[in-house]
Amino acid sequence: MQYINLSNGVRIPQLGLGVWQTENGRQTEDAVCWALEAGYRHIDTAKAYGNERSVGDGVRKSGIPREEIFITTKLWNEDVRAGRARAAFEKSLKELGTDYVDLYLIHWPADGFEEAWLAMEELYNAGKIRAIGVSNFHKSHLDKLASAAHIKPMVNQIESHPYFNNQELIDDCLANDIAVEVWSPLGGTGGNVLQDEVLGQLAQKYGKSPAQIVLRWDVQRKVIVIPKSIHQERIVSNFDIFDFELTDDDMKIINGLNRNRRVGPNPDNFDF
Ligand SMILES: NC(=O)c1ccc[n+]([C@@H]2O[C@H](COP(=O)([O-])OP(=O)(O)OC[C@H]3O[C@@H](n4cnc5c(N)ncnc54)[C@H](OP(=O)(O)O)[C@@H]3O)[C@@H](O)[C@H]2O)c1
């Protein structure tokens, strides 16, 4: 496992398990347990995923001490708009069954995010959150946040995969000491990124799967990556990316697959 140092010195495992569209209950508990058994130490959930409770259950069931596991959850849009950041955070803690989270993110730049951020700063200063950040923030949102904030976000979690590499925003964040986490790294549910012919050729060359090629590309791009799967075999293989290295030329080939094609909503005009 490799780690990234956040701007406040907190270390985050560079590969984590995403649990969006993973059902609360047995499905999430199993996925979390399989991941922890395989060596993952980082789980990415959100209030909106409806499975914080099972993430907490999976963590406890694994027998691995809580402090060895990096847990991220997110503040949902309706709570941002209603100015309910503190209450929403307490509810997430309760669902997770923990007394702190490692990373708390504003899920989308919903109206009122500046006020939500100030509340998150207080929770951070009170020691209830080890790092705070945002998700789906473009540069314009980051600039707006900066004019209200006392603390700079430590993370921005954004869409990025070979068909939408989002590299300009990534470079801008990294240059400003904001770590980047990439979502839908494999192209998301129902996407066709992993069927790409070039990725297939690289997979053959390295004796790896297309998913492993893409996840390795992310590690070498110095972003944090959180692939989702509900299948043990895939959870295990998605973690098996630390024993090979892509050449600079092959990194460039993957960079060249970009088509600026999102699989998720555009943060400038989301409607939820
Ligand atoms: N902040 C945000 O707004 C936001 C938005 C979207 C996602 N996220 C986070 O990012 C995580 C990942 O994104 P995502 O869930 O959208 O998509 P993803 O990780 O890119 O892709 C998940 C899809 O790929 C399949 N898959 C996983 N491993 C595979 C493998 N080795 N070979 C072939 N197929 C494989 C999964 O199927 P199975 O499950 O059936 O194996 C699932 O259909 C989410 O779970 C969530 O934590 C955040």
Side-chain angles (χ1 to χ4, degrees), residues 13 16 34 39 42 49 64 69 89 109-110 114 116 118 120 125 128 135 137 216 219 235 238 264 266:
W34 291 330
H42 170 183
Y49 303 170
I64 296 166
I69 302 170
F89 174 73
E114 298 95 327
L118 296 178
M120 285 166 56
N125 286 330
K128 293 190 158 204
S135 176
F137 273 45
R216 181 69 211 181
V219 166
I235 289 172
N238 289 346
N266 185 330

Side-chain angles (χ1 to χ4, degrees), residues 16-22 43-46 49 74 76 105-108 134-136 157-161 181-191 194-195 209-212 215 225-235 237-238 263-265 272:
L17 177 76
V19 294
W20 183 38
Q21 294 176 316
T22 308
I43 311 291
D44 182 87
T45 184
Y49 303 170
K74 313 185 189 87
W76 187 235
L105 303 177
I106 296 180
H107 208 146
W108 288 85
V134 294
S135 176
N136 300 303
Q157 183 180 114
I158 56 177
E159 177 177 346
S160 177
H161 46 77
E181 298 187 334
V182 298
W183 61 253
S184 291
L186 305 176
T189 304
L194 297 180
Q195 279 80 54
S209 70
Q212 288 169 325
L215 297 172
V225 60
I226 46 173
K228 170 262 179 187
S229 178
I230 54 168
H231 296 101
Q232 184 169 19
E233 207 181 283
R234 287 176 173 176
I235 289 172
S237 76
N238 289 346
V263 296
F272 45 86

Side-chain angles (χ1 to χ4, degrees), residues 1 12 16 23-24 32 39 42 51 65 72 75 79 88 106 112 126 146 164 172 174 215 225 230 245 250 267:
M1 174 52 81
I12 180 169
E23 273 172 40
N24 195 40
V32 168
H42 170 183
N51 56 17
T72 300
L75 175 64
D79 296 317
I106 296 180
F164 183 75
D172 201 64
L174 296 184
L215 297 172
V225 60
I230 54 168
E245 194 166 351
D250 289 337

